[in-house]
Amino acid sequence: MKRTIILLSAVLLLLGSNLMAQKATHKFELGDSTFLLDGKPLQMISGEMHCARIPKEYWRDRMKMAKAMGLNTIGTYVFWNAHEENQGKYDFSGNNNIAEFVKIAQEEGLWVVMRPSPYACAEWEFGGYPWWLLKDSSVKVRSKDPKFIDAYTKYIGQLAKQLVPLQVTHGGNILMVQIENEYGSYSDDKSYMDLNRKIFREAGFDGVLFTCDGADQMTKGYLPGYLPAVNGLEDPAQVKALINKHHEGKGPYYVAEWYPGWFDHWGEKHARVSADESAKKLDAILGAGISINMYMFHGGTTRDFMNGANMNKNEPYAPQVSSYDYDSPLDEAGNPTDKFLKFRAVIAKHLPAGQELPAVPVKKRTIAIHDIKLDSYAPTFGQLPEPVISKTPLTFEDLNQAYGFVLYRTRLTKAGLLRVKELRDYASIYINGKQVGTLDRRINKDSLSLPDVPKDAVLDILVENNGRINYGPYLTDNRHGITREVSLDGKAVENWKIYRLPFANLKGWKFSSAAGKKSVEKVQPALYKGTFKLTDVADTYLDMRSFGKGFVFLNGHNLGKYWQIGAQQTIYVPAVWLNKGNNEIVVFDQLKSGHQKISTLADPILDSVAVVK
């Protein structure tokens, strides 16, 4: 009996010790020149990843890859519009489970720098702000507007429930939290910045807070008394001088966004950043004792309709592609690149004595699937919902619609010059069901000559939201659809039937066999569906080169957009979303018709710009 009691006591003591170890907190603080963890210098070698851009089944794999390259920290944005798509309804499940993302990082021995500022930029729709903030056209985001601050505060309160317990001050692995993002590129209101600080503190974020800005914008964007990190600066001496200037003459020194890659816009070449040159810069930064977060370490994919767009006073509207490969060390599918291996070699030089890196996992297997039959279809104009009747065109936000498409229909009595004022963003124009042209905000094309219009002709304008602006001065001017008026030879066109086509899912769409479709599809957009069986699954890439412009659903997942102009010509399909057995694919195309098959490739095509007449 005595022996049993002794054994039981030992077990309880061991369990108690393990529990204490799990709850043990670390002390993370700012030293004069370095970060300090439990009183010892910590150089953060961090890489950015976003849970919303990576299938949740792959989070752990990507973090193991981060460890294999030598990273000790993960940097990550949190996208408000992913967690509160509809006002007051919060979603932290599935791919939105940011707490699980952080916990997996801790299990893999990684610290986290959390960037939950409601404004993220990140080539993400509206910079992370939810679309419904635009329903009230008087609301001004990224300001002290009470309506904006009320929504912002409520969201941070919900986010805090997920993340506050995971801070290093509570036994977790979140070292510090960013309260705004590159605010100096937008404005310079220090009282607004301090309001951000107050919102985070009152929500329970009690650890280290920081800001980040580009080198030329830090004076406007930083909050005195809090760590200012710099984005995009690579010269160690300049990094230290800049942060010293804005932080009481001391560090720590942190490059919150270092760019070993870059993002892509539709119609432009795929970004390339030299691996050799980047490795040299990384070596110099680490050798100077500066902490760094490489943006991106692994970009992943911007799926659904969540890509953003850039636009500045001297630069036209430019939407980003769905692939967020970013020419990063870990490619879109999570495979190590030459850049990964070169960075790993540099980081290994700066590791503490006796520390070794894990082996690099092998590249993931891929497959090619040939000639998937698209044997049923649904013509878009043949299954329109009930219209909204309005004298003037209404925006997406007026229609309570977030993303996708809106069809505007009216009747014309004559030919002339058709103009859509302030089109946002892309439109296909039809007369009596025949496509007669397209309009494109990207190239400032907002008008079209209609030389031959029958009497009492039906005019259809199918408008696509190509992505709300995520960066720059037009952030607050982001309502979509036809935002002003349609005119014919300068006279306003009125009396519209307006049809919502959000394509949030494909419920309700009825598909018929391909028989007879040629007579209809020549002039109208449609959904094309096919089924196929697999006995083996692996990563693959849909080949979209024979298609025009649209999006793809696979087994219920919206994989993202394609556009014949490139440079992205494939869509990444993660193996985890394929089934052994039956699979279903649906392709929407608004520019080409008559599709009968689709195939996949074993490798991506991300750098093929097409000339389209």
Side-chain angles (χ1 to χ4, degrees):
M1 183 68 177
K2 185 175 181 180
R3 183 181 178 187
T4 301
I5 293 172
I6 292 172
L7 287 172
L8 182 60
S9 299
V11 169
L12 291 173
L13 182 63
L14 181 61
L15 289 173
S17 298
N18 288 339
L19 188 60
M20 288 293 290
Q22 290 171 11
K23 292 185 176 181
T25 59
H26 294 278
K27 186 177 183 182
F28 178 76
E29 55 191 332
L30 309 182
D32 288 341
S33 60
T34 65
F35 294 106
L36 298 175
L37 183 65
D38 298 331
K40 298 178 180 179
L42 172 68
Q43 184 176 27
M44 286 188 286
I45 307 175
S46 176
E48 185 94 3
M49 296 192 294
H50 305 143
C51 66
R53 284 178 157 134
I54 310 165
K56 64 182 186 300
E57 295 88 348
Y58 292 159
W59 290 347
R60 190 179 299 276
D61 170 80
R62 304 316 192 240
M63 290 177 186
K64 287 183 182 295
M65 297 298 295
K67 290 281 287 185
M69 199 179 80
L71 304 185
N72 57 24
T73 307
I74 296 296
T76 188
Y77 279 129
V78 185
F79 302 126
W80 181 0
N81 54 13
H83 297 290
E84 194 182 358
E85 182 176 349
N86 296 296
Q87 189 170 11
K89 297 180 180 179
Y90 300 96
D91 180 11
F92 293 100
S93 64
N95 240 76
N96 288 331
N97 194 339
I98 183 63
E100 183 65 19
F101 184 81
V102 173
K103 290 174 184 176
I104 291 173
Q106 186 172 31
E107 291 168 2
E108 294 300 324
L110 292 161
W111 301 105
V112 169
V113 172
M114 183 58 60
R115 312 214 288 156
S117 159
Y119 171 69
C121 185
E123 293 70 59
W124 190 266
E125 225 270 348
F126 200 9
Y129 288 132
W131 68 276
W132 46 261
L133 287 169
L134 298 165
K135 288 168 65 174
D136 182 344
S137 60
S138 70
V139 172
K140 187 175 182 181
V141 301
R142 217 175 186 188
S143 78
K144 292 183 289 185
D145 181 332
K147 294 179 182 178
F148 168 68
I149 292 299
D150 178 64
Y152 169 4
T153 303
K154 288 176 180 175
Y155 162 66
I156 293 298
Q158 293 295 320
L159 186 64
K161 295 177 183 178
Q162 305 292 318
L163 297 181
V164 162
L166 303 179
Q167 296 177 107
V168 69
T169 48
H170 297 254
N173 57 325
I174 297 175
L175 294 178
M176 57 184 190
V177 174
Q178 181 180 309
I179 58 171
E180 238 286 4
N181 186 57
E182 299 181 324
Y183 181 65
S185 69
Y186 183 75
S187 189
D188 59 358
D189 186 348
K190 298 299 182 191
S191 64
Y192 167 72
M193 288 297 293
D194 193 58
L195 182 55
N196 279 262
R197 177 201 61 79
K198 181 181 178 183
I199 290 170
F200 275 87
R201 284 293 189 227
E202 291 182 349
F205 291 97
D206 55 7
V208 172
L209 303 180
F210 77 103
T211 62
C212 72
D213 287 280
D216 297 336
Q217 302 155 349
M218 184 177 286
T219 299
K220 294 188 349 180
Y222 86 113
L223 182 63
Y226 291 82
L227 178 68
V230 64
N231 291 352
L233 201 57
E234 298 176 311
D235 180 88
Q238 292 178 2
V239 169
K240 291 184 177 182
L242 185 69
I243 292 177
N244 282 338
K245 177 182 176 181
H246 294 89
H247 196 231
E248 302 173 350
K250 59 183 180 181
Y253 307 107
Y254 182 47
V255 180
E257 293 186 14
W258 174 64
Y259 306 115
W262 202 245
F263 58 86
D264 295 341
H265 292 125
W266 288 113
E268 299 177 6
K269 297 288 289 182
H270 178 50
R272 298 285 185 189
V273 178
S274 167
D276 289 328
E277 290 301 313
S278 295
K280 290 177 184 177
K281 293 172 181 177
L282 178 62
D283 193 21
I285 292 170
L286 296 183
I290 295 171
S291 289
I292 194 170
N293 178 52
M294 55 188 69
Y295 192 100
M296 301 289 295
F297 163 67
H298 172 52
T301 310
T302 308
R303 297 183 181 86
D304 297 295
F305 301 125
M306 300 311 292
N307 68 283
N310 285 328
M311 185 174 174
N312 284 295
K313 292 179 180 178
N314 299 318
E315 298 177 1
Y317 172 82
Q320 291 109 17
V321 305
S322 291
S323 170
Y324 207 57
D325 175 84
Y326 219 90
D327 193 34
S328 58
L330 208 63
D331 71 13
E332 183 178 8
N335 293 304
T337 65
D338 180 57
K339 192 171 289 181
F340 179 103
L341 299 176
K342 284 181 167 63
F343 287 7
R344 171 183 159 92
V346 168
I347 293 169
K349 291 169 51 180
H350 297 276
L351 294 176
Q355 184 175 331
E356 295 183 359
L357 296 178
V360 179
V362 298
K363 183 177 179 180
K364 296 164 185 64
R365 190 171 58 88
T366 60
I367 57 174
I369 309 168
H370 301 292
D371 295 339
I372 300 167
K373 289 184 179 180
L374 300 174
D375 51 12
S376 61
Y377 84 116
T380 308
F381 294 173
Q383 298 185 44
L384 296 175
E386 287 296 314
V388 174
I389 308 299
S390 177
K391 182 177 180 180
T392 59
L394 301 175
T395 67
F396 276 58
E397 294 76 18
D398 292 333
L399 296 164
N400 199 35
Q401 181 173 324
Y403 317 113
F405 297 73
V406 169
L407 176 66
Y408 300 83
R409 174 173 287 177
T410 189
R411 290 185 178 273
L412 298 180
T413 58
K414 65 170 189 171
L417 181 67
L418 182 76
R419 185 185 180 206
V420 181
K421 189 176 182 180
E422 293 293 340
L423 168 68
R424 299 181 182 172
D425 301 298
Y426 187 90
S428 299
I429 312 297
Y430 304 82
I431 297 293
N432 287 339
K434 178 182 179 182
Q435 188 181 92
V436 294
T438 61
L439 306 178
D440 189 350
R441 181 186 186 188
R442 187 179 55 91
I443 54 176
N444 295 318
K445 183 181 179 184
D446 67 355
S447 57
L448 181 71
S449 178
L450 303 178
D452 184 18
V453 176
K455 185 177 180 180
D456 200 30
V458 175
L459 168 68
D460 284 321
I461 306 177
L462 180 65
V463 176
E464 177 187 4
N465 170 359
N466 246 354
R468 291 183 179 88
I469 294 166
N470 59 258
Y471 179 84
Y474 299 106
L475 194 67
T476 59
D477 184 14
N478 245 333
R479 286 160 70 84
H480 268 61
I482 297 177
T483 62
R484 296 291 181 88
E485 68 172 16
V486 178
S487 63
L488 188 67
D489 287 341
K491 183 179 179 180
V493 179
E494 298 179 336
N495 302 319
W496 296 89
K497 292 182 179 179
I498 307 173
Y499 302 87
R500 302 183 186 95
L501 297 166
F503 291 112
N505 54 58
L506 300 181
K507 293 178 181 177
W509 286 95
K510 297 177 181 178
F511 291 81
S512 60
S513 68
K517 70 179 180 179
K518 290 183 180 180
S519 62
V520 177
E521 281 190 334
K522 289 180 181 178
V523 293
Q524 291 189 359
L527 294 156
Y528 300 83
K529 184 169 72 171
T531 58
F532 59 101
K533 289 186 177 182
L534 294 175
T535 58
D536 177 39
V537 297
D539 285 353
T540 191
Y541 301 86
L542 287 168
D543 184 356
M544 308 308 301
R545 288 175 292 180
S546 63
F547 292 77
K549 189 178 195 301
F551 55 86
V552 181
F553 272 81
L554 174 76
N555 293 329
H557 298 278
N558 185 336
L559 298 179
K561 301 177 182 179
Y562 67 90
W563 194 352
Q564 60 187 344
I565 63 175
Q568 177 186 344
Q569 299 288 355
T570 54
I571 297 179
Y572 169 56
V573 179
V576 72
W577 289 350
L578 288 168
N579 301 322
K580 286 187 177 180
N582 294 326
N583 294 268
E584 178 183 271
I585 187 170
V586 180
V587 182
F588 173 79
D589 196 337
Q590 60 180 303
L591 295 182
K592 292 185 178 182
S593 60
H595 301 298
Q596 298 180 15
K597 63 182 179 180
I598 188 171
S599 297
T600 80
L601 305 172
D603 297 290
I605 302 173
L606 299 178
D607 197 9
S608 177
V609 177
V611 177
V612 180
K613 296 181 180 181

